[in-house]
Amino acid sequence: MAILLSQVVIHELIKEQREPIQPSNVKEETLPADNPTIQKLVEGIVDLYGKKNNSAQYGVFETGDARGNFPDAFEGYKGAEENEDNFIEATKVAMTQLYLKAADKPTASGGYILFADYVQNDVRYFLSAMVKQKPGYKITGALKVEDLEYIDLSRLHQAAKVNFAKYEEFAAADEVEQLDINYLSFVSPRNNKATAGYFISAFGCKAGAPSAKATEAVVKESVAFFNADETLSAHAAELSKKLYEYLDNKQGENQPAKLSEIEHIAREFFPADEADNLAEELVAHLNSDEVGVPSEFSVNKTRLHKMTHIVYKGDDFQLTLDKDDIGQDAGSRFYYDGNRLVINELPDEFKDMLDEHFG
């Protein structure tokens, strides 16, 4: 997807695993933002963000001792004139924080750190991403094979991104509203979170609070994804039921819901020859900035109950009904005919209470 690139630079964090960290290679000038190769590189990194195996976690900046210096540097950059010098200064603060955090992690490794200020879909972002080179080969004009290294754009090693609009929305919100606003997203390897954590902590990131918004969106948007496809729409109701069961189990076990597990549920309904593509599209949609379902999130009990039940509280009586048990046919457990609600299959304990009342 095309982006409007205004600033971009690449620095180098120099560290090998289990080796002392070396002085960083920090550039004093930005790269030409109008260079087609540079644009293609940044677009490639942006395109990976939120895709399968690069799913983002959402959150905000830390507020305590773990905050570090970058959040304030970003605040200063956001409010300053948009130019090369201010951009470079903000990235230098980030590189200093990365250096300090990586130096304390013996198993951490460095790489090339790309910073970019760009606009996508009319939204401005500040992106920092670690990219690495991987070995390869090329065939020369003389038909000889030579070694070479090239930038690995198959996956994001580590990355963090700030959404300017949501950052300002968060700043203007009250404490309750802020609970459901996440302006940061970050990606780190699943297989080594302890080591990769230095990148996230260097930018002062913390995961958002248990999200009512994510609990609702993962069902609503997954069902919408199915309904938008002629083949999948027939399975939308069954998918919804399975997702509610999954979220209820996760909430009961006090375990986080995971996009990887939600993908697995959805795959049951995908045609075999399209399963991989559809799974990638679904995860990318759910994990996008617009939808904002993180790679992992705590299920919000109150929101889940509201999604699965009809609750009525009046002066003279109260009702809480499971939506799956309500129907407009006489055989439904709670039968609604437009004017009356008939309760079938009364529990024995409830019948005993009624018998005692009328006895």
Side-chain angles (χ1 to χ4, degrees), residues 127-144:
L127 171 70
S128 53
M130 176 179 284
V131 293
K132 301 198 177 190
Q133 297 200 114
K134 62 190 296 186
Y137 306 94
K138 71 174 182 179
I139 299 176
T140 68
L143 299 183
K144 293 182 179 180

Side-chain angles (χ1 to χ4, degrees), residues 1 6 8 17 26 34-35 42 67 95 113 139 144 156 167 173 182 223 227 230 246 248 258 268 309 313-314 335 349:
M1 185 176 292
S6 59
V8 59
Q17 282 191 335
V26 177
D34 58 352
N35 181 289
V42 177
R67 181 177 174 84
M95 288 300 297
I113 315 298
I139 299 176
K144 293 182 179 180
L156 287 175
Y167 182 88
N182 293 315
V223 170
N227 281 328
E230 186 176 340
Y246 168 78
D248 186 56
K258 299 180 179 180
E268 297 178 29
H309 293 76
K313 294 183 179 180
Y335 165 49
E349 184 179 357

Side-chain angles (χ1 to χ4, degrees), residues 18-279:
R18 306 189 189 283
E19 296 289 339
I21 195 167
Q22 302 300 310
S24 298
N25 182 6
V26 177
K27 306 298 291 183
E28 296 293 336
E29 297 179 350
T30 58
L31 296 167
D34 58 352
N35 181 289
T37 301
I38 300 299
Q39 291 179 343
K40 187 175 180 180
L41 170 63
V42 177
E43 287 176 358
I45 292 171
V46 170
D47 189 54
L48 281 176
Y49 213 101
K51 295 292 180 65
K52 185 181 176 183
N53 299 323
N54 296 292
S55 296
Q57 190 71 13
Y58 287 85
V60 296
F61 286 135
E62 293 275 8
T63 55
D65 294 339
R67 181 177 174 84
N69 294 330
F70 179 74
D72 291 335
F74 173 78
E75 172 67 22
Y77 174 68
K78 180 187 72 69
E81 180 182 352
E82 189 178 338
N83 60 38
E84 178 181 11
D85 291 340
N86 290 329
F87 178 74
I88 288 292
E89 285 305 310
T91 67
K92 283 182 177 180
V93 173
M95 288 300 297
T96 298
Q97 293 298 113
L98 282 168
Y99 178 93
L100 293 173
K101 296 294 184 180
D104 287 337
K105 292 279 187 182
T107 56
S109 62
Y112 296 99
I113 315 298
L114 179 143
F115 295 90
D117 185 334
Y118 66 95
V119 173
Q120 184 180 37
N121 295 329
D122 297 323
V123 179
R124 185 183 175 193
Y125 296 97
F126 185 97
L127 171 70
S128 53
M130 176 179 284
V131 293
K132 301 198 177 190
Q133 297 200 114
K134 62 190 296 186
Y137 306 94
K138 71 174 182 179
I139 299 176
T140 68
L143 299 183
K144 293 182 179 180
V145 177
E146 294 182 357
D147 293 332
L148 81 159
E149 287 192 335
Y150 61 96
I151 297 172
D152 182 7
L153 285 181
S154 63
R155 65 186 179 94
L156 287 175
H157 293 268
Q158 303 183 70
K161 184 171 66 173
V162 188
N163 181 316
F164 281 75
K166 289 188 176 181
Y167 182 88
E168 293 178 354
E169 180 186 352
F170 181 91
D174 61 35
E175 290 185 3
V176 175
E177 293 170 332
Q178 286 179 344
L179 293 175
D180 258 342
I181 302 173
N182 293 315
Y183 53 79
L184 275 180
S185 60
F186 41 94
V187 175
S188 61
R190 296 177 184 176
N191 58 352
N192 199 345
K193 289 186 177 180
T195 296
Y198 82 84
F199 190 92
I200 304 307
S201 62
F203 288 92
C205 304
K206 71 172 180 178
S211 177
K213 185 177 179 181
T215 300
E216 182 172 350
V218 76
V219 177
K220 180 181 177 181
E221 294 295 333
S222 295
V223 170
F225 182 88
F226 270 51
N227 281 328
D229 185 284
E230 186 176 340
T231 303
L232 298 177
S233 60
H235 305 293
E238 182 64 19
L239 172 72
S240 176
K241 182 178 179 181
K242 284 182 176 290
L243 289 179
Y244 280 133
E245 290 173 352
Y246 168 78
L247 292 174
D248 186 56
N249 289 336
K250 288 297 182 181
Q251 191 279 320
E253 297 168 357
N254 198 27
Q255 295 291 322
K258 299 180 179 180
L259 276 184
S260 57
E261 295 172 349
I262 290 164
E263 176 205 333
H264 181 74
I265 294 171
R267 273 182 176 268
E268 297 178 29
F269 306 102
F270 292 158
D273 59 340
E274 298 180 64
D276 289 343
N277 288 337
L278 288 170

